[in-house]
Amino acid sequence: MRGPQQPHYQALYRACIKEAAAQGQGLMQAALARAPGELRQVAAALADVVERGLLLEACDVLRDQQPALVESFPQALLAEFAHAIAGDRGSPLSFESLPLLGDEQLQDNTDLVRACAALEEAVRPQLAELEGTLAEAQLTPVGGAQGHPLRPEVYVRSIYRLARQSPVSPAVRRRWLRHLPGLMAPELARIYAGIAQRLRPEEAIGVPARAAVREDLDRATQLTIRELRKLMAGEPREAARSEGAVFHETEFSHTVPAALEMVQDMRKVDQLMLRLRQRQAAMPGRERDSLEAFRAALRQEARRPAQELGLEVVHLMIENLVADPRLLPGVRTVVRELEPPLLRLALVDPRFFSDRGHPGRQLLQEITQRSLAWSSASEPGFSVYMDTLQQATDALLDAHAGGPESFEIALLALQEAWHEAQPRSRRNRERAVRALIRAEQRNLLAERLGREILERREAQGAPAEALAFLTGPWAQVLAQARLTDMSASEDPGGYGWVVTTVLWSVQPALVGRAARQQVQMVHRIREGLASIDYLPADTQRWLKLLSALRDFALSAATGSPPPVAEARGVERVSTWLAPLEMHESGFVPDAPVVLATTVPEPPDSLPVQDLVIGSYVDLLRAEGWERWQLTWSSPHGLLFLFSHASGATRSMTRGRLNQVLSQGALRLVSAHPVVDGALDAVARAAWRNTSN
């Protein structure tokens, strides 16, 4: 049966999400109405006197805070819905943070996961019906049927958000989190049923389709948080004390370092492949042995619990990476092929989990993160990337080495090959950065000089257009002269004299002082603007404006009718780049601002904190979406540089970047390493197992 048309159901689904947020007030009100009776019954059944007292206290505080909680819950829901729609699981846990979490944080996270599981269990029939309807209506998100924003986890996180914002003690907050989700289950079940009914296709109302829900892999693992913390805290020497290596030395093993060193010269890789395959040892992990059989063999070789846990973590990490939709199919294949050597590595070197600088982890991170530079396998440069990647990976796989040394050699080989393959990208980026650094230094100094001009007594009555010239392009001239002057002159180039002359020439009370200086002033302005490569057409436009302002001042001084100024409506930008700087950095100009009586100020800060150096983004251009990486931002945050896999660069000001973001012409692909995200997902699975 053909599925329903997506656009119609997407609009209906969005309406359902908004309605669910609006229903949050009634949901919270009903839950709080039954809270006193049910919580007091639970407290009465507790044998622990201390816990009973804490629960009763939480119940009393809940009664006092009821109006605020009921009113605020819809907004908390909306915020969590937004995070969920954006793909943010919202977990406060990361793999790297495990050793840093205190007991209270561990308890909070455990309570959060336990509450999610309890609420999901209470509404399971209605939730299954809703998820089946979403699948039938082709509304299942990329993350799978259980990744939709209406899932119980999002409601529990909304309670957690609300509790964190409330003026209550941690003990009270924790008991709210433990008991409130279960109290809202009846209302949430009715909301799920109502949404499923609205989304159900007409031809399937009688017998709703029940899509088989794929069992989540991470729920099958027996990892717990305490075990993960032990694994990450393991001493490197522990592996050295272990009984024997997983694989015994073979005739081939003594040739591994020499063979892998040849990978550094990618032109010899064909010879290397031939030699490796001719002498390949009879060891598991390649085409003739399934991965499952290989994992089973390694589990038999494990001598300690930490080794078994390491194998499980590597396996889950690889599964998460292979399922990541941001990785192109060819990259996912390579990542899957790397599982055998990474499993071997986990047995003999637990530093892989605790040391970000470990060669094995860096290799995997370089492969996955660099691949994000392309959104399609057909884009220029991707085939070269894959060729070098496959060559080095094949050598690593055929070597069957278990220690970190082989990963380090492969990593260095890949980095060197990619470095040599992208000379144009490197040169373009270096040239762009130099240009932008010069531009920022000049703009910062020009801004300070512009403020000093505005503070002068002669500037108080000057027209806004004249001040725009002096604090805009002429301030750039003054700054450039000071930055390049080697004589320690107080007024390099004599350009400071122009400021005084312009201020005199545009005001009726002062115009007489500049009566004989016009020719020299015009000559000096042309000279100064040429020193910053200002466009001649723009220079002429400013001179025309200043001439009109001078004529106006003269007419006002003599009492004659003032002429009409022809050159009004000039443009001013907050950060200015010279034409050569724009060319060298691929500068995207700011949208022009028409100068009236006031000059708009640029935004104070970026609206997206996640946009950090190294972030991959998609930028919307006339031809469609293109993949770029934020590779540099200026020290004072005025300018940002994006690089393309082709070697091209684009730069823009902070104001322009804000504008692009507000228009939806930039979407974030990845702000953090892909491998870190895969390990964080393993940690979340451990949290769920801890709460069971």
Side-chain angles (χ1 to χ4, degrees), residues 507-588:
Q507 299 183 67
L510 303 174
V511 67
R513 301 183 185 180
R516 300 180 180 180
Q517 299 174 337
Q518 292 304 304
V519 175
Q520 185 180 1
M521 182 185 76
V522 170
H523 173 75
R524 192 63 58 85
I525 288 176
R526 290 187 184 278
E527 179 186 282
L529 292 177
S531 72
I532 60 171
D533 296 327
Y534 208 67
L535 294 178
D538 291 337
T539 298
Q540 187 61 33
R541 189 160 52 89
W542 279 113
L543 288 173
K544 185 177 180 181
L545 173 61
L546 293 175
S547 177
L549 292 174
R550 175 178 175 273
D551 292 344
F552 184 92
L554 285 171
S555 299
T558 59
S560 303
V564 178
E566 299 178 0
R568 286 186 174 269
V570 297
E571 298 171 0
R572 181 184 187 275
V573 293
S574 57
T575 303
W576 180 84
L577 270 69
L580 181 60
E581 294 167 342
M582 297 176 68
H583 173 73
E584 290 181 338
S585 66
F587 186 68
V588 180

Side-chain angles (χ1 to χ4, degrees), residues 217-218 221 223 312-321 682:
L217 177 67
D218 58 15
T221 180
L223 287 176
E312 190 69 18
V313 170
V314 168
H315 175 51
L316 287 175
M317 176 191 66
I318 294 296
E319 289 296 321
N320 288 319
L321 288 173
V682 175

Side-chain angles (χ1 to χ4, degrees), residues 10-11 22-23 51 68 116 135 152 269 378 477 525 561 599:
Q10 286 175 346
Q23 292 174 335
E51 178 61 30
C116 292
V269 76
S378 61
V477 172
I525 288 176
V599 179

Side-chain angles (χ1 to χ4, degrees), residues 163-454:
R164 295 279 298 183
Q165 296 171 351
S166 301
V168 299
S169 67
V172 168
R173 181 184 69 236
R174 191 171 299 132
R175 278 142 191 91
W176 284 5
L177 187 58
R178 289 177 185 174
H179 298 282
L180 272 182
L183 294 173
M184 66 169 53
E187 283 70 33
L188 183 58
R190 283 194 286 271
I191 290 175
Y192 283 166
I195 295 175
Q197 179 68 29
R198 291 186 62 185
L199 292 175
R200 189 175 301 127
E202 292 181 0
E203 65 270 19
I205 289 180
V207 185
R210 300 289 192 235
V213 180
R214 171 183 173 271
E215 182 178 2
D216 203 355
L217 177 67
D218 58 15
R219 293 183 179 277
T221 180
Q222 296 304 306
L223 287 176
T224 67
I225 288 301
R226 298 190 187 282
E227 290 169 332
L228 271 184
R229 295 179 83 186
K230 290 179 181 178
L231 178 63
M232 294 186 66
E235 293 286 341
R237 288 170 297 194
E238 185 180 359
R241 294 194 300 266
S242 176
E243 301 177 5
V246 176
F247 296 105
H248 299 289
E249 199 171 346
T250 66
E251 179 188 358
F252 179 73
S253 63
H254 72 277
T255 70
V256 170
L260 282 171
E261 285 174 5
M262 291 182 62
V263 184
Q264 294 178 0
D265 185 351
M266 301 308 294
R267 290 170 296 183
K268 299 180 181 178
V269 76
D270 292 336
Q271 304 172 25
L272 173 64
M273 290 299 101
L274 179 61
R275 289 176 54 190
L276 289 174
R277 286 169 182 147
Q278 288 175 342
R279 306 187 63 188
Q280 183 173 353
M283 301 169 69
R286 294 312 305 271
E287 293 78 4
R288 65 177 179 273
D289 298 300
S290 70
L291 272 175
E292 187 54 46
F294 181 58
R295 296 187 200 107
L298 287 185
R299 284 194 291 269
Q300 294 297 320
E301 295 287 346
R303 302 288 189 268
R304 293 172 286 106
Q307 290 179 310
E308 296 179 6
L309 286 172
L311 293 174
E312 190 69 18
V313 170
V314 168
H315 175 51
L316 287 175
M317 176 191 66
I318 294 296
E319 289 296 321
N320 288 319
L321 288 173
V322 171
D324 194 324
R326 296 171 298 180
L327 301 183
L328 294 174
V331 179
R332 297 185 208 176
T333 300
V334 171
V335 169
R336 174 66 78 191
E337 290 178 347
L338 283 175
E339 183 174 356
L342 287 172
L343 288 170
R344 297 189 196 100
L345 181 65
L347 280 175
V348 299
D349 191 356
R351 291 185 304 113
F352 176 84
F353 305 104
S354 58
D355 182 7
R356 282 178 174 270
H358 190 283
R361 187 156 168 182
Q362 281 194 319
L363 175 65
L364 190 60
Q365 183 162 303
E366 279 283 308
I367 291 172
T368 54
Q369 203 66 18
R370 189 178 291 266
S371 75
L372 296 180
W374 297 273
S375 57
S376 168
S378 61
E379 293 178 2
F382 182 73
S383 60
V384 176
Y385 159 82
M386 283 301 300
D387 286 345
T388 55
L389 174 59
Q390 195 66 62
Q391 290 168 353
T393 304
D394 283 346
L396 178 63
L397 295 174
D398 285 328
H400 291 289
E405 296 80 9
S406 55
F407 286 90
E408 184 172 9
I409 294 172
L411 174 63
L412 292 174
L414 276 177
Q415 290 175 335
E416 183 177 334
W418 287 333
H419 184 78
E420 292 176 355
Q422 295 180 321
R424 177 171 175 261
S425 298
R426 188 171 62 256
R427 289 195 302 269
N428 287 352
R429 187 163 55 250
E430 291 171 354
R431 183 169 60 245
V433 168
R434 287 195 298 268
L436 294 175
I437 288 177
R438 289 196 308 268
E440 184 182 61
Q441 290 175 338
R442 189 184 61 252
N443 274 273
L444 288 171
L445 181 55
E447 182 181 2
R448 179 170 66 82
L449 295 173
R451 288 196 301 267
E452 293 176 358
I453 291 172
L454 292 177

